[in-house]
Amino acid sequence: MGLLDGRNAVITGGAQGIGFEIAGVLGGAGASVVLGDINEQAAAEAADQLAKNGVAATSLRCDVTDEDEVAALVAHCTDTFGPVGVMVNNAGITRDATLRKMALADFRAVVDVHLTGAWNGTRYAAEAMRAHGQGGSIVNISSIAGKVGNFGQTNYSAAKAGLVGLTKASAKELAKASVRVNAVQPGLIRTAMTEAMPKAAWDAKLAEIPLGRAGEPAEVAQVVLFLASDLASYVTGAVVEVTGGRYM
Ligand SMILES: NC(=O)c1ccc[n+]([C@@H]2O[C@H](COP(=O)([O-])OP(=O)(O)OC[C@H]3O[C@@H](n4cnc5c(N)ncnc54)[C@H](O)[C@@H]3O)[C@@H](O)[C@H]2O)c1
């Protein structure tokens, strides 16, 4: 028996990195998975790879900033596998610059993808979960940047802190429908996003981590699995740090 047998999960930004790993771990626990990503080709290839590993998987091009595309993603889950039971708002981008150099367009783009995108995902998944009447679990991928603020990331830190407010407010609104909403704050995780970082910046971050190493995408995905599953049946509005103890 898998922890998510018979459930359907939608993961935004699921074509690569942490989102792809989450899809694999939830799929490995028995869920059917729907990958939504702005990179249509990569999402299709990712779904094929999951299917080769025995996971029921499908994909759809979805820009999370576009309300209609998010609605279509949730509907694609219903049409392909059945009603969504787990929604993971994971899609993300970075546009780093100091406050003096950052263009307003880069502030807006980052807030739009992370925060508006997760709001869209929460709204449409919650509507489908309510209609189905079996509850559900929504997991928002925030970041430790939303707790401490990162130099050169006023846009990203603001968006990731905003996700905490979104998580708690929607957890309060959706509790009576037995829909739980939680957030995960990963620290330094080894993905394409972080491997692009200059070595000196990587080493400086590493020095701050009590466990003495970067995390792997699977270590974030395992926490998402916990929050998605009935193991976390009494957990809502929580923010779980997955940082190796950094900034505890
Ligand atoms: N890597 C880390 O160390 C780390 C740490 C904390 C939080 N996070 C968060 O985890 C999430 C995943 O990060 P990652 O490192 O795997 O990044 P990544 O760049 O490897 O993957 C991000 C995915 O999101 C997709 N995407 C981008 N814009 C989109 C949009 N508008 N609509 C739909 N999909 C879109 C991309 O195509 C890509 O597939 C992000 O929210 C990120 O902020 C990452």
Side-chain angles (χ1 to χ4, degrees), residues 21-230:
E21 193 70 29
I22 291 169
V25 168
L26 300 190
S32 300
V33 300
V34 178
L35 308 181
D37 204 289
I38 199 165
N39 187 340
E40 184 174 15
Q41 178 69 25
E45 285 167 16
D48 283 350
Q49 200 176 322
L50 290 171
K52 280 190 193 121
N53 295 337
V55 174
T58 183
S59 68
L60 192 71
R61 187 208 122 87
C62 172
D63 177 350
V64 294
T65 67
D66 184 314
E67 186 175 9
D68 294 340
E69 292 190 20
V70 175
L73 181 68
V74 171
H76 184 60
C77 179
T78 308
D79 297 344
T80 311
F81 298 124
V84 60
V86 177
M87 179 80 195
V88 184
N89 292 308
N90 163 81
I93 58 169
T94 50
R95 298 277 186 278
D96 297 355
T98 57
L99 197 51
R100 290 177 74 184
K101 292 183 182 159
M102 187 179 292
L104 178 59
D106 290 335
F107 179 81
R108 285 194 170 138
V110 168
V111 170
D112 212 22
V113 173
H114 292 275
L115 194 49
T116 314
W119 185 83
N120 281 332
T122 301
R123 194 145 175 270
Y124 283 96
E127 198 172 296
M129 288 167 181
R130 262 207 197 99
H132 185 51
Q134 302 292 309
S137 171
I138 298 173
V139 182
N140 294 321
I141 307 302
S142 173
S143 164
I144 201 67
K147 175 182 174 181
V148 301
N150 278 352
F151 187 97
Q153 288 193 318
T154 49
N155 49 4
Y156 185 81
S157 304
K160 292 306 201 184
L163 277 174
V164 173
L166 170 66
T167 298
K168 294 183 178 186
S170 47
K172 283 183 179 165
E173 288 192 18
L174 298 173
K176 60 179 172 298
S178 299
V179 174
R180 297 180 295 100
V181 189
N182 294 289
V184 176
Q185 291 190 322
L188 182 64
I189 308 299
R190 201 182 293 280
T191 66
M193 194 182 264
T194 52
E195 281 181 339
M197 199 183 284
K199 188 179 180 311
W202 176 273
D203 289 347
K205 286 180 192 288
L206 214 54
E208 295 171 347
I209 303 172
L211 285 183
R213 62 174 179 85
E216 298 300 327
E219 295 177 293
V220 178
Q222 287 157 17
V223 176
V224 174
L225 171 60
F226 164 71
L227 292 171
S229 78
D230 293 343

